[in-house]
Amino acid sequence: MQQATHAGLAAFAPLTIRQFLKLTVPPLVVSSRCHSVIPPPRDSDEKEMLDRMLRVDHAGEYGANRIYAGQMSVLRRSQSGPLIQEMWNQEKKHLERFNEILAENRVRPTALLPLWNIAGFVLGASTALLGKEGAMACTVAVEESITEHYNSQIRALMEKDPERYTELLQVIKEFRDDEMEHHDTGLEHDAETIPGYWLLKTAIQLGCKVAISVSQRI
Amino acid sequence: MAALVRALRAGHGAGRALRVLPRVLAPHCDQKCMFHGAVLRLQDESKCDKAASATASATHHVHHDFQQAPPEDAVSEQTSDEGHRPSSSFQEQSGEQDEEYETEEQLQARILIAALQFVPVHGWSMEAIAAGAESLGLSSASTGMFTGAGDLVLHFIAHCNSQLIQILAEQQKQVQLGQAEPKKTADFLKDAVETRLRMYAPYIDTWPQAMSLLLLPQNIPEGLKLLSSLVDDIWYYAGDRSTDMNWYTKRAALTGIYNTTELVMVQDSSPDFQETWDFLHNRIQDVVNMASTAKQVQSTGEAVVQGLVGAAVTLKNLTGINQRR
């Protein structure tokens, strides 16, 4: 199907017999959204809303990446190193996906990226210095914030028009499930045993809330 | 499409300044292009179908619009939807049912386009807009619709931007079809900025006045928005897909290049602005050199850090610190 489209476009390229045979088969109805996650915006309001959502999601994944990087820099050779590395790899995949989506849809990334770079790394490294439990507590707090944020985005999109945003909803749901898994993993690995757990968690979640609200516009 | 065909046919009959407007609707075409399409269709209907009577009735209708400010928007918004449908409102010879309603924005666009031809004479001013309105058969009092000559400049800039986007989209299509070679980034930027600045060539004598109008407080936001969307579009078509701070640095660099080149152009007296294009070429080279120098600095820095870490480990080994495990 894709090759038929390609052959149609590159009309001057010589067709191989295989391509020609594929051409003679009537093409299936190709969904116009088969490659893009975001539907083309109908007006500037929708574009702005989608831009904000994607910008803050991108910033969130970028920050999460840096947090795990900070944690790894301290706990690389400890017992929880492989675990943190695995969670970090998943975040890297998320970030890559959002990079693609932003580039495709010409969304401006947040100008505060250098700030989240440093702040994320410092947060990850400093909580990891409190030990494995500190790192896990940080993970729990951050993943809970992110999960809540994704949930509110899913709610907003469902309220607007679930049909129109099916692919985007799929992506966000998938990522939300991954983040919830990280959250549960953190809890399993003694996050709550750290002294001052409640204080640490509240402080981190407050920071996340501020970061999310600021990254939407700037 | 029907509008295009009729416009082309009519174009042969009447050589008006309006015909120079590009009519190919590009994917990134903004509302103004749609207005122009509708404007030309309206123009054709008044010219081809019925001669003076229609123009008079259109004029009368448009005047009627002015005198009735509040209900006008409601009516014209409603009928502008009808106006956008290409051939459904095409009335043959049955005269009186003039479906030539147009929105206020369409009318403004029409007047401003017509005003451009008077800019060399009157400068970027309300007189030019008034002369434009009169050339369309409207009263010069219609300048009351505009807040100032800045509107004319901003509209012209938006128009040039959409023309540039059409050209860039066409070039991109050519490259995708394999009919043209993809250009290197520096060359692409140079060509894009040159193409865009050449659109100012017919008005270059009065362009300083236009630039000063853009610096008035009421025009600054819109002017900046147009400039940023221009730079964003040029980089998009140059292939930039960055999603980090490079997004900002690239656009800032190109904005600097574009603004300085524009300033050089207004005081350039060389034939065909050759000095300007040389200046542009040099500025782009500067940016390219700076980017490669930055990369070199970064890789040198990384190598230096690695060297230092190696030296530290060697020292630790020599002094035996590493063995205390």
Side-chain angles (χ1 to χ4, degrees):
Chain A
M1 191 164 59
Q2 256 183 344
Q3 268 164 323
T5 326
H6 271 288
L9 278 178
F12 301 96
L15 295 178
T16 63
I17 298 208
R18 269 190 165 176
Q19 287 173 327
F20 185 75
L21 284 172
K22 284 203 166 81
L23 268 184
T24 54
V25 172
L28 300 168
V29 174
V30 175
S31 154
S32 63
R33 310 194 299 194
C34 71
H35 293 295
S36 84
V37 169
I38 315 290
R42 276 186 286 237
D43 53 26
S44 65
D45 284 336
E46 189 186 352
K47 170 118 182 84
E48 206 176 312
M49 175 201 83
L50 286 173
D51 272 8
R52 288 216 188 110
M53 288 177 64
L54 294 170
R55 185 175 309 134
V56 71
D57 288 347
H58 175 255
E61 293 299 342
Y62 183 79
N65 241 282
R66 296 307 294 157
I67 292 177
Y68 281 120
Q71 288 183 344
M72 274 307 277
S73 72
V74 174
L75 292 173
R76 196 175 342 135
R77 275 178 273 218
S78 76
Q79 265 187 338
S80 39
L83 177 65
I84 300 180
Q85 181 66 45
E86 195 189 312
M87 293 200 284
W88 189 15
N89 290 342
Q90 281 187 318
E91 298 293 350
K92 282 189 195 159
K93 269 199 249 146
H94 290 185
L95 181 63
E96 236 178 76
R97 193 77 170 84
F98 273 122
N99 277 338
E100 279 172 19
I101 296 179
L102 254 67
E104 243 176 54
N105 294 282
R106 301 182 61 174
V107 179
R108 171 179 70 85
T110 170
L112 299 171
L113 281 178
L115 179 60
W116 304 144
N117 186 353
I118 300 176
F121 192 89
V122 163
L123 176 65
S126 54
T127 48
L129 284 172
L130 298 173
K132 171 193 135 194
E133 293 80 17
M136 291 299 147
C138 172
T139 303
V140 164
V142 170
E143 300 295 3
E144 199 175 302
S145 289
I146 291 190
T147 308
E148 207 181 294
H149 166 71
Y150 278 149
N151 276 337
S152 69
Q153 282 195 340
I154 292 173
R155 268 195 295 270
L157 288 175
M158 296 282 265
E159 268 172 23
K160 278 208 182 343
D161 192 344
E163 290 280 314
R164 194 168 156 71
Y165 301 117
T166 4
E167 289 95 351
L168 179 58
L169 276 169
Q170 234 174 336
V171 168
I172 297 184
K173 281 183 188 160
E174 187 190 318
F175 289 3
R176 190 250 344 241
D177 294 340
D178 285 341
E179 308 292 1
M180 268 174 43
E181 199 186 306
H182 292 176
H183 172 261
D184 296 339
T185 308
L187 283 177
E188 277 170 35
H189 284 82
D190 311 325
E192 289 164 322
T193 61
I194 192 176
Y197 170 73
W198 181 85
L199 196 64
L200 186 64
K201 180 158 175 258
T202 315
I204 293 177
Q205 288 192 326
L206 188 65
C208 286
K209 275 205 189 66
V210 168
I212 287 174
S213 64
V214 157
S215 288
Q216 274 179 343
R217 289 182 198 252
I218 300 191
Chain B
M1 258 312 158
L4 269 175
V5 172
R6 255 179 285 130
L8 281 168
R9 261 190 268 133
H12 294 307
R16 290 181 57 130
L18 290 172
R19 303 298 173 207
V20 306
L21 291 179
R23 290 179 294 263
V24 176
L25 295 179
H28 283 266
C29 197
D30 57 0
Q31 260 196 324
K32 303 234 157 45
C33 285
M34 267 168 52
F35 290 149
H36 293 169
V39 156
L40 288 170
R41 186 190 60 79
L42 291 168
Q43 199 77 37
D44 297 338
E45 284 188 348
S46 69
K47 285 187 72 61
C48 299
D49 306 341
K50 322 122 201 169
S53 63
T55 327
S57 66
T59 316
H60 168 78
H61 168 79
V62 163
H63 276 292
H64 184 65
D65 273 349
F66 287 124
Q67 282 142 21
Q68 282 194 332
E72 171 207 79
D73 287 291
V75 168
S76 53
E77 283 303 327
Q78 206 183 38
T79 51
S80 74
D81 294 313
E82 292 176 328
H84 281 218
R85 268 182 278 125
S87 53
S88 55
S89 55
F90 180 63
Q91 305 285 352
E92 280 292 356
Q93 305 305 323
S94 60
E96 296 89 51
Q97 310 278 31
D98 261 354
E99 297 229 16
E100 289 177 23
Y101 298 117
E102 54 178 355
T103 60
E104 197 177 313
E105 286 110 346
Q106 286 174 311
L107 179 64
Q108 284 184 352
R110 222 159 46 108
I111 295 180
L112 290 177
I113 295 285
L116 284 178
Q117 64 197 77
F118 297 100
V119 163
V121 174
H122 294 291
W124 301 90
S125 62
M126 292 306 265
E127 282 91 25
I129 301 180
E134 278 170 2
S135 77
L136 291 177
L138 305 169
S139 149
S140 63
S142 48
T143 58
M145 276 201 293
F146 304 102
T147 49
D151 288 354
L152 180 57
V153 179
L154 290 169
H155 185 264
F156 173 62
I157 290 179
H159 176 64
C160 290
N161 285 358
S162 52
Q163 268 186 307
L164 179 71
I165 291 173
Q166 281 175 10
I167 293 173
L168 293 179
E170 183 60 38
Q171 284 178 0
Q172 190 185 48
K173 205 161 62 151
Q174 296 275 323
V175 170
Q176 277 176 346
L177 289 177
Q179 287 171 349
E181 286 296 314
K183 294 189 219 170
K184 284 170 52 165
T185 309
D187 295 330
F188 183 93
L189 295 177
K190 177 174 180 304
D191 289 339
V193 175
E194 187 181 327
T195 310
R196 179 61 178 75
L197 284 176
R198 275 192 190 274
M199 298 181 194
Y200 292 161
Y203 308 101
I204 199 66
D205 296 324
T206 47
W207 196 247
Q209 184 193 15
M211 288 172 74
S212 65
L213 280 170
L214 283 177
L215 290 175
L216 291 175
Q218 68 264 30
N219 297 325
I220 288 180
E222 181 70 21
L224 285 179
K225 218 173 9 163
L226 286 171
L227 177 62
S228 62
S229 73
L230 168 70
V231 168
D232 185 35
D233 287 325
I234 293 181
W235 267 120
Y236 175 75
Y237 283 104
D240 174 49
R241 297 287 181 272
S242 51
T243 50
D244 52 6
M245 280 319 276
N246 279 330
W247 193 96
Y248 289 92
T249 52
K250 283 182 172 169
R251 277 149 185 78
L254 187 58
T255 307
I257 293 175
Y258 178 82
N259 281 336
T260 49
T261 312
E262 193 183 354
L263 285 172
V264 166
M265 191 176 172
V266 292
Q267 50 81 54
D268 185 8
S269 51
S270 60
D272 193 37
F273 302 107
Q274 196 48 46
E275 267 176 29
T276 309
W277 312 135
D278 292 338
F279 177 86
L280 173 63
H281 176 78
N282 290 337
R283 294 294 75 70
I284 292 187
Q285 282 306 117
D286 286 344
V287 169
V288 166
N289 287 343
M290 219 161 43
S292 68
T293 309
K295 275 207 196 95
Q296 279 177 353
V297 165
Q298 194 183 22
S299 60
T300 308
E302 278 168 10
V304 164
V305 164
Q306 276 185 353
L308 285 176
V309 167
V313 169
T314 311
L315 211 58
K316 274 164 65 172
N317 283 340
L318 284 176
T319 54
I321 296 178
N322 262 356
Q323 289 176 6
R324 284 173 179 272
R325 286 211 172 221

